[in-house]
């Protein structure tokens, strides 16, 4: 035979923390020091842990931290907080670290090795918020143009984003002097 037992339980609602932080500057140059200041809202318990993932492999703890990014790029910075009731919350924001940009002063679309080359920056780890580049012939006529603004810009590491030595109709330009 079976019997039924009834009991009452009390459910207590505990408000957890709401993770948040401010960034001293979210557009930096390589090597700039940026400060992250926690501005989390406390729930029903005191926040006892604050862990930062800085997006570049570095992790830190504390309510206010400083960091310098050594390479350009877009980084997602994540803050995770835990209170004394073991309630957790996290939030993240992106920052952009800008780098130097330099282009070669001589370009050929095909090298002696027969390999295809592109007129592109010499850095390997570039990231730009916006980019506009126009190629002109020596008479000032525009022969190629590319413009984009983040986040719609493609991967700059892709060769097809850069000038391949052709004009706007896709035909190879003649040897000569071109300005950008």
């Amino acid at each position: 035979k079976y019997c039924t037992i009834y009991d009452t339980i009390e459910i207590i609602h505990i408000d957890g923390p709401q993770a948040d932080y401010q960034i001293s500057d979210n557009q930096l140059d390589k090597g700039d020091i940026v400060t992250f200041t926690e501005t989390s809202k406390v729930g029903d318990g005191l926040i006892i842990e604050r862990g930062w993932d800085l997006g570049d492999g570095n992790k830190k703890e504390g309510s206010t931290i400083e960091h310098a990014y050594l390479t350009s790029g877009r980084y997602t910075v994540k803050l995770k907080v835990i209170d004394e009731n073991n309630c957790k919350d996290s939030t993240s924001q992106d920052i952009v670290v800008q780098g130097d940009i330099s282009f070669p002063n001589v370009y050929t679309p095909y090298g002696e090795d027969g390999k295809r080359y592109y007129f592109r920056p010499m850095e390997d780890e570039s990231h730009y918020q916006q980019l506009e580049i126009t190629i002109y012939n020596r008479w000032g006529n525009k022969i190629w143009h590319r413009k984009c603004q983040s986040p719609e810009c493609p991967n700059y590491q892709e060769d097809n984003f850069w000038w391949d030595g052709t004009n706007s109709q896709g035909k190879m330009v003649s040897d000569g002097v071109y300005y950008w």
Side-chain angles (χ1 to χ4, degrees):
K1 293 198 169 205
Y2 296 98
C3 64
T4 304
I5 299 174
Y6 294 95
D7 199 358
T8 303
I9 61 170
E10 183 180 353
I11 298 175
I12 301 171
H13 175 80
I14 297 174
D15 286 331
Q18 293 178 355
D20 200 8
Y21 64 93
Q22 293 180 338
I23 304 171
S24 62
D25 190 359
N26 63 359
Q27 290 190 15
L28 313 163
D29 290 323
K30 290 188 299 186
D32 286 352
I33 295 175
V34 60
T35 302
F36 301 98
T37 305
E38 181 204 3
T39 59
S40 300
K41 292 186 176 29
V42 177
D44 289 331
L46 296 175
I47 296 173
I48 58 171
E49 281 186 47
R50 296 159 176 89
W52 299 86
D53 180 340
L54 299 169
D56 64 351
N58 286 294
K59 298 184 185 317
K60 294 186 178 182
E61 292 185 12
S63 58
T64 301
I65 61 165
E66 291 183 338
H67 187 65
Y69 291 89
L70 303 179
T71 57
S72 62
R74 178 179 295 273
Y75 297 95
T76 300
V77 178
K78 183 176 181 179
L79 168 65
K80 180 179 179 181
V81 295
I82 303 173
D83 74 8
E84 62 189 350
N85 297 315
N86 203 31
C87 295
K88 303 170 186 173
D89 192 35
S90 64
T91 188
S92 61
Q93 297 180 49
D94 287 347
I95 62 168
V96 174
V97 179
Q98 302 176 60
D100 300 327
I101 184 169
S102 60
F103 284 83
N105 61 356
V106 176
Y107 162 73
T108 182
Y110 289 98
E112 292 177 7
D113 58 3
K115 184 179 174 186
R116 184 69 182 246
Y117 291 95
Y118 297 84
F119 182 71
R120 61 183 300 149
M122 294 186 288
E123 297 86 23
D124 290 330
E125 297 181 17
S126 302
H127 183 85
Y128 315 104
Q129 284 288 354
Q130 60 185 9
L131 182 108
E132 182 172 8
I133 185 169
T134 306
I135 307 292
Y136 300 93
N137 65 16
R138 67 182 186 174
W139 296 282
N141 298 320
K142 180 168 69 170
I143 60 168
W144 185 87
H145 178 80
R146 178 67 47 112
K147 179 180 181 178
C148 71
Q149 186 162 345
S150 188
E152 288 81 31
C153 288
N155 182 347
Y156 297 107
Q157 303 306 314
E158 300 286 330
D159 285 335
N160 64 3
F161 179 79
W162 302 104
W163 186 45
D164 62 357
T166 60
N167 61 22
S168 58
Q169 289 80 34
K171 295 182 181 180
M172 190 62 66
V173 299
S174 61
D175 289 348
V177 175
Y178 296 87
Y179 303 92
W180 61 279

